[in-house]
Amino acid sequence: MNTRNKVAHGFGRLSVNVTLGILVIMWLLPTFMLVVSSFRPVGDMMSSGWWSAFMHPERFTLGNYQLVLTSKGIGTSFINSLIITIPSTILPILLGALAAFPLAFSKFPGRKGFFITLIAMQIVPLQVVLIPVLLLLMGLNLNGTFPGVWLTHTAFGLPLCIYIFRNFFAQMPYSLIEAARIDGANNLQIFFRLLVPMAKPAFASMAIFQFLWVWNDMLVALFVLNNSALNPVTVKLSSLLGSLDAGWEIMTPAALLSMLLPVTIFLLFQKYYVRGILAGSVKG
Amino acid sequence: MTRHKRTGDLKPMTRKRTGGLKSKHLYAYLWMAPAIILIFFFLVLPTFQTVKLSLYEKISFSEREARELLQSELQNIKGAEVSLSDRIHEISGWEQAVARIEDQYGVAVAYEDVGANMTVKQTAELLTLTVNQALRQESSGVGPQRFVGLKNYMRMVDDPEMKVALRNNLYWLALFTTLTIIAGMVIAVLSDKVRWGKLAKTIIFVPMAISGAAGGVIWYFMYQKDVNTGTINAIIHLFNPQFEGIAFLGEANLVTFALIAVGVWMQVGFCTVLFSAALQSVPVELIEMACIEGANSFQIFFRIELPYIWSTVVLVITQMIMWVLKVFDIVFTMTHGGPYGASEVIANRIYRTDFNLGDFNYGSAMAVVLFIAIIPVLILNIRNLSREESIRE
């Protein structure tokens, strides 16, 4: 790091700071705009820019937030998002880790084929599979229900989860597992007592990855849920904006609140999230 | 839950495992079973089903069709014009005409159902009803289908909206990919050189954690036409007081570029993180050596760092291409493809075809085209990953 820092000095260092500063402001500005606007009365929002709000700090209000949680079913959509996201995060991680164990440690026939399928399925665009998935769920009477969405997200999340866990397990010292076997531990014991505690970083990465992905998802919700009473906050925001059904006094705090949870989780566990990204793939 | 039941079954087997190979593998399949089942039924099989759907067409037997069909059949038999208000029993050989239509669709109407005082029109109505009922019984879920080969693909060639969508996807592909790669690289390199680099990267990365819907709301507000409220227009107004504001999302020529900017804002963080990690892996000795030999920052970047991290650059480019081909949330939230379809992209067309038009077959054909566009990237990725795999073993 220090050597790298030495590369820029004097005038170079100043221009680097200024350029990066401008870029950072550009990236921060839209979110900052949203934060400021969400605390302004709607009359002000429609007549003057958010930057002029600081001239009348006494006009800032919490009124928009009181309004948003009680109107247009936005409060419900937040609860829906949670109901959708929590099982859709836990299930693929659990089933993925379970499947990754034999994939990492046993040489069973069909292993290679399964692995290639996993890689291929990470890249298949969801648009390609969503209609047959919808038809399948219709056949099971699960379309437009939470369990239907849980199953869909679990299935879509599995290839990446298995892939990441398998790679993580495969890096673990095999001698440790051998030793546990000699001590008489069975596979289940090895999995739960040895691997799960050691693979905590991988679990953290995948949990954050999957949580953010499902929380921010709109496509799966639109295709297989498509039920206005159960819609998550992404679909709600989108339909409010599309129909111009709600004013900016509702849109701005609703958008900000929808960002609060993922951004907080992201900032708290950034290390694990980045590790998940670096581990290789991005899902379709 | 079922999982406990399954693990219960497993115990005696894993104990036996020390002996034979077979039971050892059995445990592997059992542990993988839930994942295999879900992946098969929600990903593998649907991929093939979509290809199949794209080769079929929904059959809808309209009343108009039934009327025309019945009239022409009756005409053939009678040898003269048949009016819809004619009583069907007065036309000799009407049974044959009805029977021929029935044969064509494999249905049966009891002749007693065709009453003596029914007109040709009413008979056609009865036939429509019967044929549609029969078709619905045969198929499940998607409705009656007929194999049409590549017809749905041919439709795309003549579909003006699809042409706009393809053109816009190409704009996205060219501009979005270039901009995210360049901006991502610039930010990664610059933040490597300042003390607050980590903070800068975090700030630029944050939009990745928010949904396309929330990002859409933010930028919808940023793009407001009024120079007093719309941030972007206000900034332009600052430099040019005569400026009266542009409706970025309302101008057919501008809207796609406005949406691409939102996409770049959201995705640059991804490129930055990967590039930044790759840059950290460049051996310090290499850079030190170049420094001693008098190389400047640009030379170090283009001659040493960039070639060193090239495989990461390729990886990021493929990820961006895959992202951009599927871009949906931003377009769906901000414009729904408008104004007048000017900002359409393939993914949005697929959604609209499936749900607004209810045409799963045409939508599936579009999805297959999307898939085909991604296949080269897919092959590249599989190759890379299986190469890594063989190195590891």
Side-chain angles (χ1 to χ4, degrees), chain A residues 3-4 17 27 33 49-51 101 106 109 123 127-128 131-132 135 155 163 166 216 223 262 266 270 278 284, chain B residues 27 29 49-50 142 196 202 205 209 211 221 228 231 234 265 274 279-280 282 284 288 322 326 347 385 389 392:
Chain A
T3 335
R4 281 175 229 275
N17 274 295
W27 253 258
M33 179 281 303
W50 56 270
W51 50 89
F101 181 81
S106 303
I123 297 158
Q127 281 94 346
V128 171
I131 286 299
L135 298 174
Y163 180 76
R166 193 221 83 113
N216 289 334
F223 271 78
F266 167 78
Q270 197 184 353
L278 294 180
Chain B
Y27 111 87
Y29 297 126
Q49 285 170 323
T50 296
V142 280
W196 53 290
T202 303
F205 201 37
S211 62
F221 207 28
N228 293 313
T231 309
W265 179 74
L274 283 172
L279 285 171
Q280 309 272 330
V282 179
V284 179
E288 270 172 356
M322 288 196 290
K326 297 177 297 195
L385 292 173
E389 193 57 17
R392 198 175 287 129

Side-chain angles (χ1 to χ4, degrees), chain A residues 1 3-5 7-8 13 16-17 19-21 23-24 26-31 33-34 37 45-51 94-95 98-99 101-102 106-109 111 114-115 117-121 123-125 127-129 131-137 151-152 154-156 158-159 162-163 166-167 181 186-188 191 216 218-219 222-223 226 234 237-238 241-242 244 248 251-252 255 258-259 262-263 266-267 270 273-274 277-278 280-284, chain B residues 3 6-7 10-11 14 17 25 27-29 31-32 34-36 38-39 41-44 46-47 49-50 53 141-142 186-187 190-196 200 202-211 213-214 216-222 224 227-231 234-235 264-265 268 270 273-274 277 279-280 282 284 287-288 291 297 305 319 322 326 328-329 332-334 336 347 350-351 354-355 360 367 370-371 374 378 381-382 385 388-389 392-393:
Chain A
M1 270 311 263
T3 335
R4 281 175 229 275
N5 277 339
V7 174
R13 168 160 286 185
V16 164
N17 274 295
T19 317
L20 192 61
L23 283 166
V24 165
M26 274 168 67
W27 253 258
L28 205 53
L29 199 69
T31 317
M33 179 281 303
L34 185 74
S37 296
M45 244 190 272
M46 290 296 95
S47 58
S48 61
W50 56 270
W51 50 89
L94 220 72
L95 299 180
L98 215 57
F101 181 81
S106 303
K107 296 224 181 288
F108 57 88
R111 183 164 155 275
F114 182 64
F115 202 71
T117 313
L118 278 185
I119 296 168
M121 288 304 134
I123 297 158
V124 170
Q127 281 94 346
V128 171
V129 296
I131 286 299
V133 165
L134 173 64
L135 298 174
L136 171 71
L137 291 176
L151 277 179
T152 311
T154 303
F156 291 171
L158 269 173
I162 301 174
Y163 180 76
R166 193 221 83 113
N167 286 355
R181 285 231 165 100
N186 63 31
N187 284 324
L188 266 181
F191 181 74
N216 289 334
M218 188 151 79
L219 200 61
L222 279 174
F223 271 78
N226 203 11
T234 47
L237 275 179
S238 184
L241 190 69
L244 296 174
W248 285 105
M251 294 304 304
T252 48
S258 82
M259 294 160 55
V263 169
F266 167 78
L267 290 177
Q270 197 184 353
Y273 185 77
V274 170
I277 283 188
L278 294 180
S281 308
V282 176
K283 46 196 272 180
Chain B
R3 209 164 49 81
R6 192 157 35 67
T7 49
L10 200 70
K11 267 188 183 163
T14 42
R17 181 195 46 80
H25 294 150
Y27 111 87
Y29 297 126
W31 283 40
M32 293 184 5
I36 290 178
L38 280 171
I39 290 173
F41 282 105
F42 282 78
L43 283 161
V44 179
T47 307
Q49 285 170 323
T50 296
L53 272 173
V142 280
V186 167
I187 293 163
L190 293 184
S191 57
D192 218 13
K193 295 187 198 298
V194 299
R195 283 210 188 89
W196 53 290
T202 303
I203 289 171
I204 285 168
F205 201 37
V206 163
M208 260 214 80
I210 74 173
S211 62
V217 171
I218 292 178
W219 281 89
Y220 198 94
F221 207 28
M222 292 286 286
Q224 296 249 309
V227 290
N228 293 313
T229 58
T231 309
I235 291 171
V264 172
W265 179 74
V268 156
F270 177 83
V273 166
L274 283 172
L279 285 171
Q280 309 272 330
V282 179
V284 179
I287 296 166
E288 270 172 356
C291 268
S297 314
E305 290 179 314
Q319 298 292 0
M322 288 196 290
K326 297 177 297 195
F328 172 74
D329 296 21
F332 183 81
T333 302
M334 292 184 73
H336 277 263
I350 294 174
Y351 176 78
D354 285 338
F355 287 95
F360 289 176
L370 184 69
F371 193 28
I374 285 178
L378 179 103
N381 268 35
I382 290 181
L385 292 173
E388 259 174 50
E389 193 57 17
R392 198 175 287 129
E393 274 170 15

Side-chain angles (χ1 to χ4, degrees), chain B residues 354-371:
Chain B
D354 285 338
F355 287 95
N356 295 10
L357 304 178
D359 192 345
F360 289 176
N361 303 104
Y362 192 30
S364 293
M366 293 175 188
V368 171
V369 168
L370 184 69
F371 193 28

Side-chain angles (χ1 to χ4, degrees), chain A residues 56-82:
Chain A
H56 308 279
E58 76 284 355
R59 295 182 67 94
F60 281 120
T61 169
L62 281 171
N64 299 340
Y65 284 89
Q66 284 168 349
L67 192 63
V68 77
L69 290 174
T70 51
S71 66
K72 310 265 183 205
I74 292 169
T76 320
S77 73
F78 276 103
I79 295 169
N80 290 342
S81 274
L82 278 176

Side-chain angles (χ1 to χ4, degrees), chain B residues 100-114:
Chain B
R100 280 178 60 120
I101 296 168
E102 286 176 351
D103 277 353
Q104 208 169 323
Y105 288 93
V107 296
V109 184
Y111 289 109
E112 305 86 83
D113 287 351
V114 185

